[in-house]
Amino acid sequence: SMQQMKQEALERQRALALARQEVAMLAQFIHLADYMVVENLLLLVMTQADGFFQDLQNPSKKSGLFHITLSMERNKICFQPEKKDVSTQLASMLDAMVSCVHSVPRLLYIPVFKPHFEDKQVKITGPHL
């Protein structure tokens, strides 16, 4: 009937308007997802670094945390590895954690999502680690 056809056309128009509205919000959704991923990666790195720091402060009495060799030389005790080597390794480990997070591709820069930002006035900025 004519009434049913008009009702279906109206429903289609509403569905199309809703779909257009959802497409318009897609860029914001991608931004939100990107922020959430970066924030959680940063939180993960900070949690792991803090856990390691806690282990440094309270090492296990059973297994310890490092293996250090002591040797005696004339008028001094030698530690192997030396303090500077341990410090360098720890700094290197923390740098590697941050580098690993930086290597994760950002959602904003994935080619599939780029068209949603090219013609918009959205400036791609975001959390930087």
Side-chain angles (χ1 to χ4, degrees):
S1 79
M2 192 67 138
Q3 181 66 21
Q4 187 179 9
M5 288 174 64
K6 285 182 182 179
Q7 185 66 25
E8 288 174 359
L10 186 59
E11 287 177 18
R12 254 183 296 191
Q13 286 177 346
R14 285 182 188 152
L16 189 57
L18 180 61
R20 284 188 182 123
Q21 186 180 17
E22 289 174 351
V23 166
M25 294 187 309
L26 187 57
Q28 294 172 341
F29 176 75
I30 295 168
H31 259 288
L32 175 63
D34 183 68
Y35 276 109
M36 290 172 67
V37 167
V38 171
E39 181 71 24
N40 280 305
L41 287 172
L42 179 61
L43 183 62
L44 178 65
V45 167
M46 290 176 64
T47 301
Q48 292 302 313
D50 185 56
F52 183 71
F53 180 69
Q54 296 301 322
D55 288 342
L56 283 175
Q57 288 184 323
N58 303 310
S60 168
K61 292 187 183 348
K62 252 185 187 178
S63 61
L65 195 59
F66 296 105
H67 178 78
I68 298 175
T69 304
L70 300 174
S71 62
M72 302 291 284
E73 288 186 9
R74 203 170 259 239
N75 297 328
K76 69 177 182 176
I77 299 173
C78 296
F79 296 90
Q80 189 63 25
E82 293 181 3
K83 180 181 177 182
K84 64 180 173 125
D85 295 331
V86 173
S87 295
T88 301
Q89 277 301 110
L90 292 176
S92 175
M93 180 191 71
L94 291 174
D95 287 343
M97 290 170 73
V98 172
S99 178
C100 181
V101 169
H102 276 292
S103 71
V104 174
R106 297 277 306 266
L107 293 177
L108 299 177
Y109 304 121
I110 294 176
V112 173
F113 296 132
K114 278 198 175 207
H116 296 286
F117 299 104
E118 287 174 350
D119 55 339
K120 300 209 175 19
Q121 295 298 327
V122 178
K123 184 179 178 188
I124 298 178
T125 60
H128 300 287
L129 303 178

